[in-house]
Amino acid sequence: MLDADFFRRWMTVTAASVDREADRLTALDSPIGDADHGSNLQRGFAAVRTALEKEPPTTPGAVLVQSGRLLVSTVGGASGPLYGTLLRRTGKALGEATEVDERQLAEALRAGVDAVMQLGGAAAGDKTMIDALLPAVDALGDSFAAARSAAEEGAVATTPLRARKGRASYLGERSIGHQDPGATSAALLIAALADAASGAGAGDE
């Protein structure tokens, strides 16, 4: 069973991962975005980590709802509302339970991804974070490791796609050949989930 400490660890490991990968995320964002994806997420997850350490929520859902709210208020551009929606909707789907199992998490995360798709109007193949999140949710029923692999493969698979949503879509054909930064950061989020489940990344807290 997964308790509030597990979900706090997930967010903390994500913050550490975003710290490490911020420059790469910004480099990916430079040719097809505003060159601020890494720094924006770095600021947002740093705020999440600080808040969770200061006053840890007592349920899995509360951890994610609080984290989502902080991302909306601290991350600029479209990333704040999108990641905020993902985490808040997932947290709300988990309800007030003090512990949840992997199946409940998978169902809640699917609700979160559906909410992001509704908010941004993106679908699979549009070269967005959805291209990493959808396969991850599908694979989460098998294992956390499978979800991680699916998300990473989904992010890489955005490279030959033409962007149909977000700022990159304005570039048309010029968006082809660049890995989507949003899909890449989404894969980091799922990788952090797998690390939290396996106990890896704990030293980064």
Side-chain angles (χ1 to χ4, degrees):
M1 297 294 284
L2 311 172
D3 60 9
D5 284 344
F6 171 86
F7 283 83
R8 184 183 65 82
R9 187 162 68 249
W10 177 19
M11 293 296 100
T12 303
V13 174
T14 300
S17 180
V18 169
D19 265 346
R20 287 193 303 270
E21 300 292 332
D23 289 345
R24 182 169 75 98
L25 292 175
T26 292
L28 289 173
D29 195 35
S30 183
I32 59 174
D34 293 322
D36 59 1
H37 189 61
S39 57
N40 280 345
L41 285 185
Q42 192 173 29
R43 180 173 61 253
F45 277 101
V48 167
R49 176 167 49 192
T50 298
L52 293 178
E53 289 172 352
K54 186 176 182 181
E55 193 170 339
T58 57
T59 66
V63 171
L64 296 185
V65 170
Q66 176 178 308
S67 299
R69 286 175 179 160
L70 280 166
L71 292 178
V72 170
S73 64
T74 57
V75 178
S79 298
L82 292 171
Y83 273 104
T85 294
L86 175 67
L87 296 183
R88 284 191 299 177
R89 185 65 186 86
T90 302
K92 288 178 180 177
L94 292 175
E96 301 298 322
T98 56
E99 292 184 326
V100 299
D101 60 27
E102 294 178 22
R103 178 188 59 79
Q104 289 170 309
L105 173 56
E107 291 174 354
L109 190 58
R110 185 174 295 280
V113 173
D114 287 344
V116 171
M117 293 172 69
Q118 185 174 15
L119 176 64
D126 283 345
K127 199 182 181 91
T128 72
M129 63 195 296
I130 296 302
D131 290 308
L133 291 174
L134 271 182
V137 169
D138 288 340
L140 192 54
D142 295 327
S143 69
F144 288 113
R148 175 185 193 144
S149 296
E152 291 172 349
E153 290 169 9
V156 171
T158 63
T159 303
L161 299 178
R162 174 176 174 168
R164 292 198 289 260
K165 293 292 178 181
R167 194 180 189 286
S169 65
Y170 302 147
L171 298 177
E173 297 290 334
R174 286 181 294 154
S175 66
I176 295 172
H178 300 282
Q179 183 169 320
D180 182 66
T184 305
S185 60
L188 292 179
L189 179 72
I190 301 300
L193 176 62
D195 283 344
S198 68
D204 296 322
E205 292 188 27

